[in-house]
Each structure stands twice: as C-alpha cells, then as structure tokens.
Amino acid sequence: MSRKTETRHGGAVDDGVQLSRRKFLEFASASPLLAPQIASTIAGLSVLGTSEALAQSYDVLRAAPVMNGDLIANPSQALNVFDFEPVAKNALPPAHYGYLASGVDADKTLQANRDGFDKIAIRTRRLIDVRKIDTSVKIFGETWGSPIALAPVSSVGAFNSEAEAAAARACKAKGHQMILSTVGSTSIEDCIKERGAPIWYMLYPTDDWAVTQLLVARAEMAGAPAIVLTVDRQGGRNTETLFRDRRGDTRTCTDCHTPGFANEVSRKPMFDNIDVSKVTNLYGTGMTWDYVKRLRSIVKGKLVLKGIVTHEDAKTALDYGVDAIIVSNHGGRAEESLQSTIGVLPEIVTAVNGKIPVLIDGGFRRGTDVLKALALGATAVCIGRPYIWGLAAFGQPGVEMVLTLMQREFETIMRQVGATKLAEINGASVTRV
C-alpha cells in the first residue's frame, strides 16, 4: 500500500502522485516549448497542492504592500474605492465629512441606492474571445473613453485645496468626463483648462432669471457642451447625519459660513462679478415645466435634466425638448423616498424609448454596478462620493486610483459577461434576484 502525504490544506495525496508531479514539473521547467509564464503557473500547483492555484497564481502579489494599521497609506494600496472613505474621514473636519456622508432623515434612501444593486444578478457567458474590449461611448457627438463620469459635487474645496482642478486633471489622465457644480470651488474655465477638453456644467438656477442667464452664458462661452439643470432640490431636506457630525466639530463655522446668499457664494467663482442681491435661494424653488421651456430657449447647446425618477416626468421632459436625463436622487440626499435610482431606471428608459441618452448616479461603487446600469438601459454612469473620498485622502492621485479601480472592475465584468463593447451589454446580461 502506498504511503500518504498530508498537504497544507489538510488533504492527502499518494507519494507516487507527488513524485510524478515533481518529475513533470522538472520536465516542464526545462522544456523550451513551455513559456516561462506557463511553467510558473503550473509550479503554483505544487505550492498550493490544489487546482485553485491555476486561477489564483497570477494575482497572489496584488495585496503585497505592507500596511501600518487599518488605513491605506497611499492610493496604490487600495483594493476598492471603499478603502478611501476611512482615510477621507480621518483627514476631514467632522462637519465636512458629515456633509459628504449625509443623506436625509434616517439615510434610508442613501442606503437604498446601494441595496438596489443587490437585487440585480449578472448573467455570465463563456467561450467568447474578450481579449480586446472597447469601453467607449458617444454622447452628443463626443466620444468618452469610459461610461464612468464624475458627478457634480458642491464645495469641493472643503475636501481638498486643489478642489475640482485636481479632479479635472485626473479625468484628463484617465480619460473620463466630468460635470462641474454651480457652487463648485473652481471656475469652469479652469476646469476645462486642467482637463484639456470641455466639461458639462450643472446649473443651480437661483430664483433670479438675470443670474441664471449669466451663469448659462458664461458656461457656454467657456465651451460647456451641456447645461445640466438640477431639479431635485426644490422641497428642502433634513440632513441629520450632517447635523449630528457637526456637533463634534470644535471649529467656529461662522469663520467661513456667514448668513445671506451673497456670503454663501462669495467663495464660489462661478458667481464672480454677478449681482446676487435679488437672489433668495440657490435652487429656484419655484421652478415648473414652464421654467424648463424658458431655459430651453436660451441654452444654445444641450439641455439635460438631473433628478428625474419617474416615467411621467421623463415623458414630459421629451415634450419640452430636453436632450438627456440624469436619473438621480442627489445621492440619496434629495428626499427620503426609499427609491433607489437603479430601481427606477427601467421605467425611465422605457419612457424615453431610445430618443435621448439616459445617465444615472446614486450609490455607484463597483464596476459591476456600472454594468448593471448599462444592462438596464443607461448610457453612462456618474460617481460622486467615491472620487471625493479619493480626493480628500490623496488629492489627484486618489481620484485617479478611484477611476482606475472602477474602470478595472468594469472591464473585468464586461469580459465575464462576454461583452467586447458597450452595445453588447443589454437586458440579457442581468436578471432580477
């Protein structure tokens, strides 16, 4: 009877098998017919004593950098975008982090955005040549290298002194589009300069039409191809997480924040040289569809509505000449509806019936999230918090790594569903759980 040898995984193999394996490996290592990579992979089998190694040996060193403590020390140590959040929290004042982290009320809609992805499963396909894939998408005649874009975020200077300029440089380096907020910390001219290409402009219209006109004119003169009107901030909001975190901030907030609209936007460059004396609110809380019609009459380029979450409003948007829709609940910070954006996406897509692009934001953290949205009919996806985590943690390199990780994950899942281009990602790529 042959003797048994225990493996590191607790199993046992015959000594004869071990000898045969060793002889085969010696032959393989010496053979000029086997590429060094193949020999290395096969050698991994003897190390682990299991066929698992065949799939894993290529990435065994991926997490090699040593970490001190639980926080990553540089962007290269991140395994996913979630690794940046605790670093950002550690770097930011409590109130600034609270502003970034807050949803509304009990933050249940914020959580619903994430939970919505768990209700969608991905259908993988086999034996398709996916060595070469194309992730580009054309929107309004412009080709984006990736369907992942940066969503507008307000007051980005609160998270990093280089603000949107650093994000724009990251977009240039990694090949992504971005949308600048009206109350961003960087001017649209500087963002376009740093990105080296036009960006979209998200409009908070205020309740003074003269101010609205000046904001639109400046953005279009700078080269913005699309004006994105945000329509989901008209009802007000109760940002409890922000209020709670602010209690622990020992700074004197009035050193930077003083009452009155003029003071509120005094550090927002898009309002430079604009008379805001008649403005009482940023969001244009009296907006109706007639306002969209009026805006449509002055926007020379494309007009996009951000914040549409029902098929009724999507159909009406078509009637008013809107060129695209962004399905959004402001990252779960517009209202406590408990509706995830990925959950309502199909009804929006059905309503527009391919007539205009449908973009989406809200809770996107993984490449698999992106694929699920595209499979349900989205044209592109916007991310907000993840890139701000990266920016707050490490500046431009952090944003670049966030984009790298999400793009890498997206390309991986594209290959696993057998898609070589975005048009091959469709309803057959997913199923409801």
Side-chain angles (χ1 to χ4, degrees), residues 8 25 38-50 52-54 57:
R8 72 191 312 182
L25 290 172
I38 298 176
S40 175
T41 299
I42 296 175
L45 288 171
S46 67
V47 172
L48 293 180
T50 171
E52 231 174 31
L54 192 60
S57 61

Side-chain angles (χ1 to χ4, degrees), residues 112-253:
N113 279 343
R114 284 299 305 144
D115 293 344
F117 295 107
D118 292 337
K119 299 173 183 177
I120 304 165
I122 294 173
R123 301 180 69 246
T124 55
R125 300 294 303 276
R126 311 302 186 198
L127 300 176
I128 299 172
D129 187 348
V130 288
R131 288 173 294 178
K132 294 181 180 180
I133 61 171
D134 179 5
T135 66
S136 66
V137 59
K138 182 172 285 189
I139 302 178
F140 299 154
E142 178 190 9
T143 299
W144 301 1
S146 168
I148 304 169
L150 300 191
V153 177
S154 300
S155 305
V156 174
F159 310 114
N160 181 278
S161 60
E162 292 192 283
E164 293 90 351
R169 290 194 296 271
C171 284
K172 179 180 181 179
K174 307 305 295 185
H176 296 260
Q177 180 57 280
M178 68 178 289
I179 308 174
L180 175 71
S181 170
T182 295
V183 284
S185 303
T186 309
S187 71
I188 191 167
E189 294 86 357
D190 286 345
C191 280
I192 290 175
K193 178 182 177 181
E194 296 294 346
R195 182 175 179 260
I199 65 172
W200 290 16
Y201 179 68
M202 185 276 280
L203 176 67
Y204 281 134
T206 82
D207 57 352
D208 184 343
W209 180 249
V211 172
T212 302
Q213 289 177 298
L214 290 171
L215 291 170
V216 170
R218 178 175 176 181
E220 293 196 320
M221 185 175 295
I227 302 298
V228 182
L229 176 66
T230 291
V231 298
D232 57 16
R233 286 299 318 280
Q234 292 189 256
R237 62 184 182 187
N238 176 32
T239 52
E240 288 184 10
T241 294
L242 166 60
F243 302 150
R244 189 174 297 109
D245 285 3
R246 197 165 63 189
R247 292 171 176 169
D249 202 318
T250 59
R251 300 170 306 146
T252 303
C253 291

Side-chain angles (χ1 to χ4, degrees), residues 64-373:
V66 175
M67 288 173 53
N68 294 318
D70 295 330
L71 302 182
I72 59 173
N74 59 70
S76 67
Q77 291 181 323
L79 298 180
N80 54 54
V81 302
F82 297 100
D83 283 342
F84 291 96
E85 184 179 13
V87 183
K89 183 176 183 179
N90 188 59
L92 294 172
H96 288 192
Y97 177 76
Y99 173 78
L100 176 61
S102 187
V104 294
D105 294 354
D107 292 351
K108 291 184 178 180
T109 304
L110 185 154
Q111 186 59 46
N113 279 343
R114 284 299 305 144
D115 293 344
F117 295 107
D118 292 337
K119 299 173 183 177
I120 304 165
I122 294 173
R123 301 180 69 246
T124 55
R125 300 294 303 276
R126 311 302 186 198
L127 300 176
I128 299 172
D129 187 348
V130 288
R131 288 173 294 178
K132 294 181 180 180
I133 61 171
D134 179 5
T135 66
S136 66
V137 59
K138 182 172 285 189
I139 302 178
F140 299 154
E142 178 190 9
T143 299
W144 301 1
S146 168
I148 304 169
L150 300 191
V153 177
S154 300
S155 305
V156 174
F159 310 114
N160 181 278
S161 60
E162 292 192 283
E164 293 90 351
R169 290 194 296 271
C171 284
K172 179 180 181 179
K174 307 305 295 185
H176 296 260
Q177 180 57 280
M178 68 178 289
I179 308 174
L180 175 71
S181 170
T182 295
V183 284
S185 303
T186 309
S187 71
I188 191 167
E189 294 86 357
D190 286 345
C191 280
I192 290 175
K193 178 182 177 181
E194 296 294 346
R195 182 175 179 260
I199 65 172
W200 290 16
Y201 179 68
M202 185 276 280
L203 176 67
Y204 281 134
T206 82
D207 57 352
D208 184 343
W209 180 249
V211 172
T212 302
Q213 289 177 298
L214 290 171
L215 291 170
V216 170
R218 178 175 176 181
E220 293 196 320
M221 185 175 295
I227 302 298
V228 182
L229 176 66
T230 291
V231 298
D232 57 16
R233 286 299 318 280
Q234 292 189 256
R237 62 184 182 187
N238 176 32
T239 52
E240 288 184 10
T241 294
L242 166 60
F243 302 150
R244 189 174 297 109
D245 285 3
R246 197 165 63 189
R247 292 171 176 169
D249 202 318
T250 59
R251 300 170 306 146
T252 303
C253 291
T254 53
D255 287 347
C256 296
H257 305 277
T258 52
F261 185 81
N263 292 323
E264 181 183 345
V265 299
S266 62
R267 291 174 290 114
K268 312 300 183 185
M270 290 305 295
F271 287 93
D272 289 350
N273 304 314
I274 293 180
D275 179 6
V276 296
S277 60
K278 296 180 181 179
V279 177
T280 62
N281 74 80
L282 181 63
Y283 310 111
T285 55
M287 285 192 298
T288 66
W289 286 104
D290 285 341
Y291 191 94
V292 175
K293 181 179 180 180
R294 192 180 189 188
L295 188 62
R296 173 73 281 179
S297 70
I298 68 167
V299 171
K300 297 181 176 64
K302 303 298 184 180
L303 177 61
V304 181
L305 293 191
K306 177 179 178 291
I308 299 298
V309 289
T310 64
H311 65 85
E312 295 94 338
D313 286 342
K315 288 180 180 178
T316 304
L318 291 177
D319 295 337
Y320 280 82
V322 169
D323 297 298
I325 284 171
I326 301 180
V327 179
S328 175
N329 55 25
H330 225 87
R333 52 200 288 133
E335 79 286 318
E336 193 74 310
S337 65
L338 305 187
Q339 290 270 28
S340 69
T341 53
I342 193 70
V344 302
L345 174 61
E347 70 175 87
I348 310 298
V349 170
T350 299
V352 304
N353 195 28
K355 295 177 182 177
I356 59 175
V358 175
L359 289 77
I360 183 173
D361 64 32
F364 287 85
R365 305 287 185 267
R366 291 282 193 179
T368 50
D369 301 338
V370 177
L371 184 128
K372 290 174 184 181

